[in-house]
Amino acid sequence: MNIYQQEQIQALQMVRQHMDLLDTTENIGDFDVRAQTREYLAFRSDAETFFKRWFERTCSKNCYGSRLSACCTKDGILTFWADVVINAGQMEKDELDQLEMTITSPKNEYKCIYLTQKGCAWRIKPIICEMFLCSEAECSVFNANPEAETIRRELEERKKTFTWPDRLVLFEVLEKIFIDAEFDSPLMYMHKSPGLLRLIRQRKSAGR
Ligand code: SF4
């Protein structure tokens, strides 16, 4: 396994073994972890509906059908700790066992380790994948359907309310719960990326 695979499998195994941390955590200050997770899943459902309605045909024809799958690049997908936690909470045990096998023995050596014959192996795929649209697809859909571009902008704004730490957000809290329990992973970008850490410091010094 390369370093990317090792980081992914370690994160998934740590999360699986300690999902009870989430069951015992309801609130952090005013932040209701379960309510926020439900809201996030509702957002993801809306994002998926948007993709299916406006982009699925274009992407299937231009990319998946031709087996190009250009967006599912090898070891290029940044997965957040919260992506792993949320996805693990939505998959059954046997599916998660299968996901571990997918990480350790990927089917395609030139593509993302999670890309299988049936598509992406995640139930709730990484947020970066959910929100990614290539510029060709965007141009072709948005030029013909300006209303789709408006909905897309609204989804981008909703995404930030879970992932952009200029306020306390779900992606940060899900890391904090595990960090407080002395877990560590390179996937904890909210607490390791210099840019995101700066934002959190600014927020805290502004008393938010
Ligand atoms: S995680 Fe899934 S959607 Fe994202 S790049 Fe890999 S196979 Fe594609």
Side-chain angles (χ1 to χ4, degrees):
M1 279 197 288
N2 63 22
I3 291 173
Y4 184 83
Q5 287 169 290
Q6 286 170 28
E7 289 174 354
Q8 299 292 314
I9 193 83
Q10 283 163 5
L12 178 56
Q13 288 174 343
M14 275 192 270
V15 166
R16 289 188 75 184
Q17 284 157 20
H18 299 282
M19 282 301 273
D20 55 323
L21 279 175
L22 290 181
D23 297 337
T24 51
T25 306
E26 290 194 2
N27 294 332
I28 293 196
D30 293 337
F31 194 98
D32 185 332
V33 178
R34 289 189 195 168
Q36 281 287 316
T37 303
R38 279 195 299 276
E39 272 185 43
Y40 179 71
L41 290 170
F43 156 68
R44 291 297 301 261
S45 172
D46 291 346
E48 191 183 353
T49 302
F50 169 82
F51 177 81
K52 284 198 169 132
R53 174 167 181 206
W54 297 104
F55 283 88
E56 192 167 48
R57 194 148 22 121
T58 301
C59 295
S60 296
K61 182 158 91 39
N62 296 346
C63 207
Y64 307 140
S66 65
R67 294 193 163 272
L68 187 61
S69 292
C71 26
C72 299
T73 53
K74 182 171 171 60
D75 300 348
I77 302 306
L78 187 146
T79 55
F80 284 85
W81 182 262
D83 283 321
V84 181
V85 174
I86 290 163
N87 181 62
Q90 298 299 306
M91 290 180 94
E92 301 296 336
K93 181 186 174 304
D94 57 335
E95 293 175 307
L96 288 165
D97 292 342
Q98 186 61 48
L99 187 59
E100 286 194 20
M101 280 165 57
T102 304
I103 295 172
T104 51
S105 311
K107 293 284 172 282
N108 187 331
E109 64 178 304
Y110 303 110
K111 289 289 173 192
C112 172
I113 55 172
Y114 294 109
L115 187 62
T116 72
Q117 296 251 326
K118 292 186 195 156
C120 180
W122 293 53
R123 169 85 54 91
I124 308 291
K125 64 179 138 177
I127 185 65
I128 283 187
C129 305
E130 184 72 85
M131 300 305 287
F132 178 79
L133 294 170
C134 73
S135 48
E136 282 119 282
E138 279 191 329
C139 280
S140 91
V141 171
F142 292 158
N143 285 344
N145 308 279
E147 70 273 35
E149 189 167 7
T150 306
I151 301 170
R152 165 78 173 171
R153 276 204 221 102
E154 288 166 3
L155 286 169
E156 288 281 5
E157 287 306 311
R158 274 175 79 191
K159 182 193 93 165
K160 283 191 205 161
T161 66
F162 303 104
T163 62
W164 192 245
D166 57 353
R167 71 204 96 179
L168 187 61
V169 287
L170 183 63
F171 271 45
E172 179 185 343
V173 168
L174 291 179
E175 285 184 13
K176 185 174 183 328
I177 291 168
F178 283 82
I179 289 170
D180 288 349
E182 301 194 343
F183 291 97
D184 185 29
S185 162
L187 274 55
M188 292 173 168
Y189 293 103
M190 290 284 165
H191 292 84
K192 289 184 188 281
S193 150
L196 293 172
L197 279 171
R198 196 175 323 116
L199 208 55
I200 291 171
R201 271 199 303 275
Q202 282 168 358
R203 180 192 83 211
K204 286 184 175 166
S205 65
R208 298 200 302 271

